[in-house]
Amino acid sequence: MKHAEPIWIRILLIGSVLVLASLILLLPIATVFLEAFAGGWEAYLQGLQDSDTISAMIMTLKVAAIAVPLNTVFGLVAAFLLTRFEFPGKNILLTIIDSPFAVSPVISGLIFLLVFGRQGWLGNTLEEWNIKIVFNTPGLVIATIFITLPFVARELIPLMQSQGKEEEEAGILLGASLRQTFLKIIIPNIKWGLLYGLILCNARAMGEFGAVSVLSGHIRGKTNTLPLQIEMLYNEYNSIGAFSAASILVFLSLLTLVLKSILERNLNSKKEEKEPEEGTPSSSSKESLAQNNTPDFQI
């Protein structure tokens, strides 16, 4: 018989969670929209129609449109290699993937500045070839790629490990090529996890501030992304313009949370479908049987 907690303890715990969530989440979101609409709809729309703000939005979308697909491809390849093969340098690759979590974005921006800047290691070579990375779009893309590097890979690695490789081995035994195995077996099994990681990667790319701030140079209308434009407007005491631009990021964050919840539900249902039914062989026994009849993938 389960022991029920006193009603006052449940009320206290639930109330504490609701108050904390309101202070941390709901209050800041409400403040953003209240400040954005403090001058009415006309002032709000005027803040969004500012040419520098529009340029910052376009730059944000451009950087995300380049960084997210590249990290998606990298995440797919890295997860496939790490979960299906044994090769020298495997731990080094894992360390590289996790490094953005351990390094401050500002520090990473400074590192790229020391590498690609005019006084950096590659500065003279880049200047001779008339290639400008720092204080230009390529610098923003490089910083964003580094910061968002782990999201897709780290979502796919545990998912592919839990699924095992028996279906892929069966496909190869039946004559499927590596390309057919990847497109017909692997991708359908990880599609929800892939979309989940892609959404998180995109949200982080559009909201990145630290590394991008170091490499952008804060050139108004040219290298400012939306977070940098918000900071610049706020420092100029243009609160309506700053919060109007911030409302766009808040809307994207809320949309990301909705999509994240939907994908989490699909992922959980997918895991439940994968669980062996009572009386059927477990996945571990199936995998051991497959290993006895087929060789492991190795490089």
Side-chain angles (χ1 to χ4, degrees), residues 50-66:
D50 180 73
S51 59
D52 292 336
T53 300
I54 293 175
S55 297
M57 292 180 187
I58 294 173
M59 178 59 68
T60 302
L61 295 174
K62 184 190 299 184
V63 170
I66 298 172

Side-chain angles (χ1 to χ4, degrees), residues 5-119:
E5 296 292 341
I7 186 66
W8 66 270
I9 292 181
R10 285 181 282 175
I11 293 175
L12 179 62
L13 292 176
I14 295 173
S16 301
V17 172
L18 292 176
V19 170
L20 186 62
S22 300
L23 291 175
I24 295 177
L25 298 176
L26 300 180
L27 185 60
I29 292 175
T31 302
V32 169
F33 284 103
L34 288 174
E35 291 291 337
F37 289 98
W41 273 98
E42 292 184 359
Y44 175 77
L45 294 176
Q46 185 177 358
L48 293 180
Q49 292 172 359
D50 180 73
S51 59
D52 292 336
T53 300
I54 293 175
S55 297
M57 292 180 187
I58 294 173
M59 178 59 68
T60 302
L61 295 174
K62 184 190 299 184
V63 170
I66 298 172
V68 173
L70 290 176
N71 273 338
T72 301
V73 173
F74 172 80
L76 273 170
V77 175
F80 182 70
L81 288 175
L82 291 169
T83 58
R84 297 297 184 264
F85 297 97
E86 293 295 334
F87 56 92
K90 185 175 180 178
N91 291 332
I92 296 176
L93 180 58
L94 278 170
T95 303
I96 293 173
I97 292 174
D98 290 335
S99 60
F101 290 141
V103 179
S104 168
V106 175
I107 299 300
S108 63
L110 290 173
I111 292 173
F112 289 126
L113 188 63
L114 291 174
V115 174
F116 300 111
R118 180 172 294 181
Q119 305 299 325

Side-chain angles (χ1 to χ4, degrees), residues 4 8 18 36 102 109 166 179 186 191 214 262 274 280:
W8 66 270
L18 292 176
E166 54 184 342
R179 175 178 171 273
I186 297 176
K191 60 182 179 181
V214 175
I262 295 173
K274 286 289 184 181
T280 61

Side-chain angles (χ1 to χ4, degrees), residues 13-294:
L13 292 176
I14 295 173
S16 301
V17 172
L18 292 176
V19 170
L20 186 62
S22 300
L23 291 175
I24 295 177
L25 298 176
L26 300 180
L27 185 60
I29 292 175
T31 302
V32 169
F33 284 103
L34 288 174
E35 291 291 337
F37 289 98
W41 273 98
E42 292 184 359
Y44 175 77
L45 294 176
Q46 185 177 358
L48 293 180
Q49 292 172 359
D50 180 73
S51 59
D52 292 336
T53 300
I54 293 175
S55 297
M57 292 180 187
I58 294 173
M59 178 59 68
T60 302
L61 295 174
K62 184 190 299 184
V63 170
I66 298 172
V68 173
L70 290 176
N71 273 338
T72 301
V73 173
F74 172 80
L76 273 170
V77 175
F80 182 70
L81 288 175
L82 291 169
T83 58
R84 297 297 184 264
F85 297 97
E86 293 295 334
F87 56 92
K90 185 175 180 178
N91 291 332
I92 296 176
L93 180 58
L94 278 170
T95 303
I96 293 173
I97 292 174
D98 290 335
S99 60
F101 290 141
V103 179
S104 168
V106 175
I107 299 300
S108 63
L110 290 173
I111 292 173
F112 289 126
L113 188 63
L114 291 174
V115 174
F116 300 111
R118 180 172 294 181
Q119 305 299 325
W121 299 340
L122 302 178
N124 293 331
T125 303
L126 294 174
E127 192 170 357
E128 291 176 0
W129 288 89
N130 196 25
I131 299 175
K132 189 175 182 181
I133 293 179
V134 176
F135 307 148
N136 201 8
T137 303
L140 306 183
V141 172
I142 291 173
T144 305
I145 289 175
F146 176 77
I147 294 300
T148 58
L149 187 70
F151 288 95
V152 175
R154 269 303 174 188
E155 183 60 36
L156 293 180
I157 289 172
L159 179 61
M160 294 179 70
Q161 284 177 336
S162 64
Q163 289 178 347
K165 55 185 178 181
E166 54 184 342
E167 294 183 14
E168 302 157 29
E169 292 174 339
I172 292 176
L173 282 175
L174 293 172
S177 64
L178 183 61
R179 175 178 171 273
Q180 291 173 327
T181 303
F182 196 81
L183 295 178
K184 300 294 184 180
I185 299 176
I186 297 176
I187 295 296
N189 285 337
I190 64 171
K191 60 182 179 181
W192 295 115
L194 178 62
L195 287 174
Y196 184 81
L198 193 149
I199 288 174
L200 293 180
C201 180
N202 183 67
R204 186 70 175 88
M206 290 192 294
E208 171 54 25
F209 180 85
V212 168
S213 177
V214 175
L215 294 175
S216 72
H218 293 269
I219 304 174
R220 190 188 295 270
K222 292 185 177 181
T223 63
N224 267 358
T225 58
L226 198 54
L228 301 181
Q229 177 69 10
I230 293 170
E231 183 205 26
M232 187 171 291
L233 291 172
Y234 188 78
N235 290 337
E236 294 174 350
Y237 302 101
N238 185 357
S239 60
I240 293 179
F243 283 103
S244 297
S247 67
I248 302 298
L249 289 180
V250 172
F251 174 75
L252 293 174
S253 299
L254 295 175
L255 180 62
T256 300
L257 287 176
V258 172
L259 294 174
K260 178 175 176 286
S261 300
I262 295 173
L263 292 175
E264 280 180 342
R265 192 177 301 114
N266 282 282
L267 279 172
N268 291 332
S269 63
K270 189 72 174 178
K271 289 178 181 178
E272 291 176 0
E273 292 175 0
K274 286 289 184 181
E275 290 180 356
E277 297 180 357
E278 187 177 357
T280 61
S282 64
S283 59
S284 59
S285 62
K286 290 181 180 178
E287 185 174 353
S288 62
L289 180 62
Q291 288 176 350
N292 291 331
N293 293 282
T294 60

